[in-house]
Amino acid sequence: MELLDIVERIGEAPTAAVMGLATGVVFGVAAQRSRFCLRAATVEFARGHMNDKVAVWLLTFSTAVVWVQAAQLLGLMRAEDARMMAVPGSWSGAIIGGLLFGVGMVLAKGCSGRLLVLAATGNLRSLVSGLIFAVVAQMSLQGILSGWRDKLAAIWITEGGRNMDLLAFFGVPKWGGLALGIAIALLALELSRRNRIGISRLVFASGVGFSVALGWVLTFGLSQVAFDPVQIESATFTGPSAHTLMFFLERNAVLEFDVGLVPGVFVGSFLASFLMGEFKMQGFDGPSTMRRAMIGAVLMGFGGMLAGGCAIGAGVTGGSIFAGTAWCALFFMWVGAMATDILLDQPSLRLATR
């Protein structure tokens, strides 16, 4: 059955939701099995190590770039048509939002995507933090915090009415993005070899990157056959968390890619953890941990919406199409996370070991 037949049978919006569900399930399974986590990678790096967590993050990022850039060369998608590229980006939003998100994910012990994955494995701390993240993201999108977000984002906007395409800006040939992705993947594989990471974990880490390409290709394909305009998008969790929350709260909410993505990740992660015997109910360790996680979730909700994406949306999905503000946001997420670990967590660890 061809895509057009599916669209004609169930409609464009349900098709987009099914695509989101498929993308989410692949992401959820792969992220749960690989233990992919930007927060863990930044903390490991801040403490002077390049072990398994950095290796897994680099492999996920690089394989996303490889899959997406290869899909572009094959004509399966066009990055310039993606909404992230077709609208102006905010440098100020990427910088401020990236820093806030980086701080928040260290406080909450996981980025928004990781919280969703952990929540599906029975982690109630992540479930509560994830719900707070979604509420604050919605407040930042259309609620009481939206004015502040708009003001901060408007300080420094990309020129030309579009986001910056880094490959075009630096005059890199079309195959250059694929070559860079392969180079980073080789570095990741060397780090994986040194840290003796098993083949299974490497396959699932690359599966997270594949899910990003899957989302791009599926939504691009839908845009080619749909009557109404379709957003070309992929895995991200700031906007989708807010949209999914409102889908269950509004009577007239409509299906879309986002509404399928978030439940898909939850289902995929739950199935992976349950089938492997890793599902386990967990709660907060104490009041201080709860306060810290809640503050982190608030910072991530506002910071992710301001930055134009979360650690996945900007850091991997936006990075895979070389959106300028996405790479900027990713850099400042690393800066914010490392600074928080160095200034807050590392001194506490040194005191505890004395």
Side-chain angles (χ1 to χ4, degrees):
M1 182 180 293
E2 294 185 358
L3 180 57
L4 181 58
D5 296 327
I6 298 174
V7 172
E8 291 178 343
R9 177 168 296 186
I10 68 174
E12 295 173 5
T15 300
V18 171
M19 289 178 170
L21 182 68
T23 302
V25 169
V26 174
F27 181 98
V29 171
Q32 196 279 330
R33 299 308 306 148
S34 66
R35 300 191 295 279
F36 164 78
C37 180
L38 176 61
R39 193 276 311 178
T42 56
V43 168
E44 186 175 84
F45 190 76
R47 298 179 184 183
H49 306 294
M50 293 187 69
N51 297 332
D52 64 310
K53 297 175 180 63
V54 173
V56 166
W57 187 87
L58 283 174
L59 186 60
T60 293
F61 177 80
S62 61
T63 52
V65 173
V66 169
W67 283 110
V68 171
Q69 292 300 309
Q72 257 206 143
L73 293 174
L74 293 172
L76 298 176
M77 69 158 290
R78 290 194 300 266
E80 60 267 26
D81 293 344
R83 183 179 183 279
M84 187 178 291
M85 296 294 288
V87 300
S90 169
W91 296 114
S92 55
I95 295 169
I96 301 170
L99 286 171
L100 291 175
F101 192 95
V103 173
M105 71 178 180
V106 172
L107 294 177
K109 294 187 177 180
C111 70
S112 50
R114 183 62 178 167
L115 292 180
L116 180 59
V117 170
L118 290 176
T121 67
N123 192 312
L124 298 180
R125 170 183 58 80
S126 296
L127 178 61
V128 172
S129 299
L131 288 173
I132 293 173
F133 166 81
V135 170
V136 175
Q138 178 61 26
M139 291 168 64
S140 304
L141 178 63
Q142 296 179 329
I144 194 171
L145 298 177
S146 61
W148 284 99
R149 177 182 63 85
D150 291 340
K151 289 178 181 179
L152 292 173
I155 294 173
W156 188 11
I157 302 293
T158 55
E159 298 177 355
R162 294 176 59 88
N163 207 328
M164 177 186 287
D165 182 337
L166 292 177
L167 296 179
F169 180 79
F170 289 108
V172 178
K174 291 184 177 181
W175 51 264
L178 177 61
L180 178 59
I182 293 173
I184 300 174
L186 292 174
L187 171 61
L189 290 173
E190 175 58 21
L191 287 175
S192 301
R193 184 191 66 80
R194 293 181 183 181
N195 290 285
R196 299 180 180 179
I197 300 176
I199 295 297
S200 175
R201 191 177 179 190
L202 295 180
V203 170
F204 282 114
S206 63
V208 180
F210 173 76
S211 71
V212 170
L214 179 64
W216 283 128
V217 171
L218 288 176
T219 54
F220 176 77
L222 180 60
S223 73
Q224 301 303 295
V225 300
F227 178 78
D228 295 320
V230 172
Q231 289 189 11
I232 300 172
E233 55 190 322
S234 189
T236 184
F237 296 105
T238 307
S241 294
H243 295 157
T244 304
L245 176 66
M246 297 310 297
F247 177 80
F248 292 105
L249 295 178
E250 291 183 349
R251 181 186 296 271
N252 299 320
V254 297
L255 285 170
E256 55 186 338
F257 181 87
D258 292 355
V259 176
L261 176 70
V262 173
V265 173
F266 192 92
V267 169
S269 180
F270 169 76
L271 290 175
S273 64
F274 183 79
L275 293 175
M276 297 303 296
E278 296 178 359
F279 182 87
K280 181 181 178 181
M281 299 300 291
Q282 303 174 63
F284 288 99
D285 296 330
S288 61
T289 304
M290 180 184 293
R291 286 193 296 270
R292 173 179 165 135
M294 290 180 173
I295 292 171
V298 170
L299 292 176
M300 283 197 295
F302 182 74
M305 195 60 72
L306 176 60
C310 61
I312 304 299
V316 180
T317 300
S320 69
I321 60 172
F322 290 88
T325 57
W327 279 68
C328 179
L330 174 61
F331 173 79
F332 282 98
M333 286 176 191
W334 276 81
V335 172
M338 290 176 61
T340 304
D341 182 68
I342 291 170
L343 297 174
L344 187 63
D345 289 347
Q346 291 188 31
S348 299
L349 285 175
R350 286 193 291 268
L351 288 173
T353 56
R354 286 181 181 177

